[in-house]
Amino acid sequence: MITIRTSVKAAFCVSLSMLATSLHAQEFTGTLKKIQDTGTITLGTRGASVPFNYLDDNNKQAGFAWEIALRVSDKVKQVLNRADLKTRNLEVTPQTRIALVANQTVDLECSSTTHSLERENQVNFSVTYFSVGARIMVRSDSAIADWKGLAGKNVVVGAGTTTERLLRQVNEREKLGINIIMAPDINEGSMSVESGRADAFVADDSGLFSSAARARNPAKWKIVGEPLEREAYGCMMRKGDAQFKKLVDDLIIDMMKRGEMTALYEKYFTQPLNVRNGFNLQMPMQPATRELYENPSDKVL
Amino acid sequence: MNYSWDFLVYFKQSVTGEGVYWRLLASGLGWTVLLSLSAWVLALVLALGIGIARTLPSPLLRWPAAVYVHCFRNIPLLVQVFLWFYVVPELLPEAIGRAIKQAPATTSQFLTMLLALTLFTAAKAAELVRAGIESVPRGQKQAAMAMGLGFVDSYRLVIVPQALRIIVAPLTSDFMNVFKNSAVALTIGLMELTGRTRQFSEFSAQPFEAFLAATLIYMGVTWCVVLLMRHVETRLRIPGRRGADVWMASTGVP
């Protein structure tokens, strides 16, 4: 008796859980449901975040992280089984991106966006696809060689970036008395140093490499200072949406395992780009990034 | 929307170690008020001169004033600020340009913005002054002349005082615009209220709380302007002219 009852119960449980799985396979929640309902996936774009997400010389969106976003949108088409799905581009800035993801205007933003603990309160981050560190760009004849050398100097930094925050933290901690000048974007940052208004430009190393490579005379610049701390770049998406996050994470991990991520890296960091007469970042892969591709993680560094 | 509100964030320490978030906003408000009030005072003085010059018979005074008004009124403030900040130092002799650029950042940002905002605001206010002068009935001038006042004295004692009283109401909205326009300062890096708000939003990752606070602060400030100007307007009202009905009601005249 007991055995029969137990087995019936077990069978009931199994069928219930099977029902649940089959339902689960079809039922989409959160972002995926919204994309299914509206027939549109909205991707965040950036104008000048070379080489992550930018407009190239043909006015086409390009970039290392942008290609990841496009791969996600293809994957979503596949999973939703909707070839007619539209991809909408929406330009965001460092100041608007979190608000636009939080209020569901943008479904996915992959660019030079740092994964930080505060931002986790509002958004989810995918597995990290890149690691950067804040460094200093100065004229090649400058005496500034490290962070201490910035004491009392005019230093420009991108407004609303995590680098601004790092610089302010160093400034407070070490009592350097740096005159911090805010630049709305990376171009104005390098312009301020070029015109002599600032003595140094502080930004992510990848941003500095791209600024130097794009300058009229790259030999005029040097990049100094130990990276302040490593930062993780990840795709940003709506908070608490485990289903969509899993889709993005699985795709990125898959790209890493298959070596696609390394190939993408080569394309954007070691070869000429279709912007400003084909400049080349010439930035070999850093050990920290290689380590990430071998052991994918979605944690703040 | 999937957003975790946190209204206590204003009292949390900033991640940069620069103090509590509301202090960031307070320091930004300080710069906004300082910048706007100084620009407004300077602009009023300048507008008075330019506006009067525009109504004078002498073309030697009238023309430069007209050119000034047209240049500064027709170019967006943002463009003017960029010109003053980035272009002008390059056009000056190199030593002077370098001195400007090497000056402490906040000082040069503040002074550049003060200059730009003053010139821009004065061009608009000068038009109000001119309109005010032109709306004083012609008979007033004739009467002043008949009383034996000279040209200068009739302007100084009769026409301009009346014109200024007439334009108090439209000046109110110009005064409010100064506060709102001062937000352009963040594009050259001055950490005024909007600049601080963006910082707050970025460091705390609570953008909605940050901008909610900024909205309320701007509304509060401009509302103070309205109250102040309304008070000025009541005090300066010319009995029998604008707002005569209110005046009659308050004095009991039927």
Side-chain angles (χ1 to χ4, degrees):
Chain A
M1 260 311 255
I2 292 160
T3 17
I4 295 170
R5 220 210 244 145
T6 322
S7 59
V8 167
K9 212 171 164 185
F12 182 62
C13 282
V14 168
S15 62
L16 239 184
S17 69
M18 270 168 68
L19 188 69
T21 1
S22 68
L23 257 178
H24 186 78
Q26 252 132 75
E27 207 152 313
F28 298 112
T29 55
T31 309
L32 286 173
K33 181 168 188 332
K34 184 201 151 202
I35 296 171
Q36 193 180 36
D37 291 348
T38 58
T40 310
I41 177 168
T42 305
L43 304 177
T45 66
R46 300 277 282 271
S49 195
V50 183
F52 292 97
N53 199 330
Y54 61 93
L55 282 173
D56 68 15
D57 282 350
N58 300 327
N59 223 21
K60 274 188 65 179
Q61 204 67 40
F64 175 82
W66 173 245
E67 290 206 23
I68 298 174
L70 287 183
R71 289 288 309 269
V72 171
S73 124
D74 284 345
K75 176 87 181 185
V76 169
K77 272 182 205 173
Q78 220 178 67
V79 169
L80 296 182
N81 200 14
R82 295 251 322 242
D84 64 329
L85 207 64
K86 281 202 276 296
T87 303
R88 190 164 71 102
N89 297 359
L90 190 84
E91 176 151 352
V92 301
T93 68
Q95 290 92 29
T96 61
R97 56 192 170 180
I98 292 177
L100 287 173
V101 169
N103 78 5
Q104 314 202 346
T105 310
V106 168
D107 296 317
L108 185 74
E109 197 247 6
C110 303
S111 69
S112 48
T113 295
T114 301
H115 180 175
S116 74
L117 285 173
E118 291 78 27
R119 289 176 181 173
E120 275 183 1
N121 288 331
Q122 303 305 347
V123 290
N124 276 350
F125 283 92
S126 73
V127 162
T128 301
Y129 49 72
F130 204 84
S131 150
V132 294
R135 300 187 66 190
I136 311 162
M137 185 167 91
V138 292
R139 291 156 179 271
S140 38
D141 58 1
S142 166
I144 298 171
D146 54 15
W147 296 95
K148 292 254 188 319
L150 297 178
K153 295 282 194 318
N154 280 350
V155 177
V156 63
V157 67
T161 60
T162 39
T163 323
E164 182 202 337
R165 165 187 157 172
L166 280 174
L167 182 63
R168 286 181 185 277
Q169 282 170 338
V170 170
N171 198 21
E172 292 290 313
R173 203 172 52 223
E174 314 266 332
K175 305 262 175 286
L176 293 178
I178 301 173
N179 251 324
I180 298 176
I181 309 177
M182 318 283 285
D185 72 24
I186 202 160
N187 291 333
E188 263 146 65
S190 47
M191 195 164 89
S192 292
V193 186
E194 201 156 12
S195 71
R197 194 176 284 280
D199 302 298
F201 178 29
V202 173
D204 291 339
D205 47 11
S206 63
L208 294 181
F209 274 101
S210 95
S211 268
R214 277 156 79 173
R216 258 168 296 170
N217 180 5
K220 237 176 79 181
W221 302 103
K222 62 180 178 187
I223 292 157
V224 298
E226 284 301 304
L228 264 191
E229 62 185 57
R230 302 308 305 183
E231 294 197 338
Y233 279 1
C235 291
M236 192 161 60
M237 60 204 125
R238 194 150 314 157
K239 189 177 163 62
D241 189 344
Q243 193 184 44
F244 189 55
K245 177 168 157 53
K246 186 172 183 323
L247 181 145
V248 178
D249 281 352
D250 287 351
L251 177 94
I252 292 177
I253 293 172
D254 191 49
M255 286 176 75
M256 288 171 176
K257 296 281 180 225
R258 286 159 175 270
E260 278 176 71
M261 205 57 104
T262 310
L264 207 56
Y265 184 98
E266 300 285 318
K267 179 176 170 189
Y268 282 98
F269 289 90
T270 65
Q271 286 163 24
L273 302 176
N274 183 16
V275 51
R276 304 273 165 93
N277 313 318
F279 85 86
N280 188 337
L281 251 73
Q282 293 176 308
M283 187 181 166
M285 192 184 282
Q286 306 288 305
T289 302
R290 191 184 308 281
E291 161 69 18
L292 280 171
Y293 293 178
E294 279 157 17
N295 300 299
S297 147
D298 66 349
K299 297 283 170 288
V300 174
L301 290 180
Chain B
M1 196 169 77
N2 206 337
Y3 187 84
S4 32
W5 293 92
D6 176 10
F7 285 105
L8 292 176
V9 69
Y10 306 115
F11 306 104
K12 287 190 178 150
Q13 287 291 329
S14 158
V15 289
T16 53
E18 289 175 300
V20 194
Y21 283 118
W22 71 261
R23 278 189 176 276
L24 289 187
L25 293 181
S27 95
L29 176 63
W31 280 112
T32 293
V33 170
L34 180 67
L35 176 65
S36 310
L37 286 184
S38 2
W40 179 237
V41 171
L42 294 175
L44 273 188
V45 174
L46 195 58
L48 191 61
I50 306 266
I52 291 173
R54 288 212 67 186
T55 62
L56 296 180
S58 155
L60 226 66
L61 290 168
R62 216 171 55 222
W63 277 87
V67 170
Y68 168 84
V69 166
H70 287 301
C71 286
F72 286 90
R73 205 160 71 115
N74 295 336
I75 302 171
L77 178 61
L78 186 63
V79 176
Q80 291 187 31
V81 170
F82 266 64
L83 288 175
W84 288 117
F85 195 67
Y86 289 110
V87 182
V88 170
E90 304 297 326
L91 300 178
L92 293 170
E94 209 183 321
I96 302 176
R98 192 175 317 122
I100 294 177
K101 290 187 286 193
Q102 294 290 319
T106 311
T107 315
S108 74
Q109 287 157 354
F110 179 78
L111 293 179
T112 308
M113 193 57 207
L114 180 61
L115 177 73
L117 194 56
T118 301
L119 294 177
F120 180 76
T121 310
K124 297 193 160 198
E127 285 299 86
L128 291 180
V129 173
R130 178 174 73 106
I133 291 174
E134 283 171 358
S135 71
V136 174
R138 194 181 307 180
Q140 292 286 325
K141 192 176 174 185
Q142 289 161 348
M145 297 291 206
M147 295 275 291
L149 294 176
F151 183 81
V152 174
D153 278 345
S154 66
Y155 254 70
R156 190 171 65 90
L157 298 171
V158 179
I159 300 172
V160 174
Q162 291 191 59
L164 290 184
R165 290 172 172 202
I166 292 169
I167 61 171
V168 170
L171 273 181
T172 307
S173 72
D174 258 34
F175 196 5
M176 283 160 73
N177 282 338
V178 178
F179 281 92
K180 290 180 276 184
N181 288 338
S182 70
V184 169
L186 78 92
T187 60
I188 57 169
L190 185 69
M191 282 294 105
E192 43 65 72
L193 183 53
T194 307
R196 283 295 187 188
T197 306
R198 298 212 310 192
Q199 231 175 16
F200 172 8
S201 139
E202 185 53 34
F203 293 158
S204 65
Q206 303 282 150
F208 297 160
E209 288 85 345
F211 280 94
L212 191 67
T215 308
L216 294 176
I217 294 172
Y218 273 115
M219 279 173 64
V221 168
T222 45
W223 194 58
C224 287
V225 171
V226 171
L227 287 185
L228 174 76
M229 292 301 276
R230 203 174 280 165
H231 178 70
V232 171
E233 206 182 336
T234 325
R235 291 290 301 274
L236 295 182
R237 182 175 289 132
I238 304 169
R241 267 183 60 86
R242 280 167 45 83
D245 46 346
V246 183
W247 174 77
M248 282 192 287
S250 67
T251 51
V253 178

